[in-house]
Amino acid sequence: MLADLKEVLEKARTEKQAVAAFNVPNLAMVRAAIQAAEKVNQPVILQHAEGHGSLISLEEIGPIMIDYAKRSKVPVVVHLDHGKTFDAMIQAMKLGFTSVMIDASDLPFAENIARTKEIVKIAHSLGVSVEAELGHVFTSSLGGGEGRAPDDDQIGDTDIYTDPKQAKEFVDATGVDCLAVAFGTVHGIYLKEPKLDLPRVKAIYDEVKIPLVMHGGSGVEAADYQTAIANGIAKINYYTYANKAGASALKGYFEADQSDVFLEECIEVTTEALKEDYVEAIKIFSGL
């Protein structure tokens, strides 16, 4: 069933859980995400990042995501991830997405507020939830498809993390439904063990009192996930490591003794590997 992001995340916070948000730029990923969520009977968020337009356009994948969401046995949010342009966010709403992310985090604070307020006003008038971002979640040099890589002098610089007091000002001014925060995660594959500022997550939540979002959610230890969730995280974006799991399964299939290889078998192998990886992620985020 097609679900509202705000309602799903508020319920997750009540139950001290986080909802998995999977970027699904192809049909195999859409199907695997729905199958995984139904297998463990948990809600899920299907996402399309505006930056994945080179893989498939929003107008192509959007209706597919919505159709699968409507026919699912569990609540499914259909979300635009990392919306950078006004046109993409409006297009997602017109297609029937139940939430959008406005990512103006690379702009000055006042401009981030102004742009976010504009999208919130439009989205809320249509019954669409809004996620925004404050702080900087960088991208590693491997597998990251969103954001930008840090300069050498920015690695480990907590000044780029979300400030709790500023977060409260931002939320009060914009009326967003959830907030993506920076506390040490990165998009893509971790090149070294992440050093997460988990107490900062609690300090932010104590100020804003709305569900928080973890970007760069792949590759984090299970214990750190649980602490982050307890501290206020209710949505975890997960893409790179599932992507890698699907590719690794396909590689293994090719390396096996196969006299003939057919495309439909390749898709089946990939979909099953994705589903298994998604199931494990959902279980960790849900505390199952």
Side-chain angles (χ1 to χ4, degrees):
M1 64 198 80
L2 191 60
D4 174 71
L5 179 69
K6 182 179 180 180
E7 292 180 3
V8 167
L9 295 190
E10 287 179 348
K11 184 174 185 293
R13 278 302 301 151
T14 300
E15 298 174 354
K16 296 295 188 290
Q17 297 178 337
V19 183
F22 300 133
N23 287 86
V24 289
N26 57 63
L27 182 58
M29 284 182 152
V30 172
R31 295 179 64 213
I34 295 292
Q35 290 171 12
E38 290 183 340
K39 182 174 181 179
V40 293
N41 194 32
Q42 292 292 317
V44 72
I45 301 166
L46 300 184
Q47 301 189 150
H48 178 71
E50 184 176 353
H52 284 162
S54 60
L55 301 177
I56 191 167
S57 70
L58 177 59
E59 64 184 5
E60 289 177 279
I61 196 66
I64 294 171
M65 295 164 66
I66 292 167
D67 179 61
Y68 271 81
K70 288 180 177 178
R71 292 188 289 111
S72 175
K73 299 174 184 177
V74 297
V76 181
V77 176
V78 180
H79 177 74
L80 178 72
D81 186 31
H82 285 284
K84 288 287 189 179
T85 66
F86 182 83
D87 288 348
M89 287 178 276
I90 295 301
Q91 183 183 15
M93 292 184 224
K94 287 182 176 179
L95 286 170
F97 279 43
T98 53
S99 65
V100 297
M101 177 191 182
I102 160 77
D103 182 2
S105 60
D106 55 344
L107 299 175
F109 182 66
E111 191 169 352
N112 189 354
I113 286 178
R115 293 200 181 188
T116 301
K117 283 179 67 175
E118 179 184 22
I119 293 301
V120 168
K121 182 178 180 180
I122 296 169
H124 283 183
S125 71
L126 299 172
V128 174
S129 301
V130 179
E131 173 187 339
E133 182 171 325
L134 188 64
H136 297 285
V137 181
F138 285 115
T139 296
S140 78
S141 59
L142 294 176
E146 303 153 343
R148 59 187 177 87
D151 298 327
D152 289 340
D153 61 354
Q154 291 177 313
I155 298 175
D157 179 7
T158 57
D159 287 343
I160 63 175
Y161 291 179
T162 306
D163 176 80
K165 297 295 185 184
Q166 195 176 55
K168 176 174 173 52
E169 181 182 350
F170 182 88
V171 169
D172 288 347
T174 61
V176 293
D177 301 295
C178 60
L179 184 68
V181 295
F183 59 100
T185 59
V186 298
H187 296 116
I189 293 174
Y190 286 97
L191 303 180
K192 58 183 180 180
E193 183 180 353
K195 297 186 181 300
L196 307 181
D197 187 350
L198 294 167
R200 182 181 295 264
V201 176
K202 185 177 187 305
I204 296 168
Y205 183 75
D206 287 344
E207 290 288 343
V208 302
K209 302 299 185 185
I210 63 170
L212 302 179
V213 182
M214 176 193 289
H215 284 239
S218 297
V220 175
E221 294 292 333
D224 287 339
Y225 281 127
Q226 293 304 317
T227 301
I229 293 166
N231 288 355
I233 294 294
K235 173 177 180 278
I236 300 177
N237 287 18
Y238 184 90
Y239 173 67
T240 301
Y241 282 64
N243 196 343
K244 185 179 178 184
S248 294
L250 187 58
K251 181 181 179 182
Y253 178 71
F254 282 133
E255 290 175 348
D257 184 17
Q258 300 286 346
S259 56
D260 293 296
V261 176
F262 295 95
L263 178 59
E264 61 263 30
E265 294 171 355
C266 296
I267 295 171
E268 184 177 342
V269 165
T270 303
T271 302
E272 185 61 27
L274 286 165
K275 184 181 78 172
E276 291 178 4
D277 194 76
Y278 288 154
V279 164
E280 290 308 308
I282 294 171
K283 285 182 176 179
I284 291 172
F285 303 162
S286 303
L288 299 179

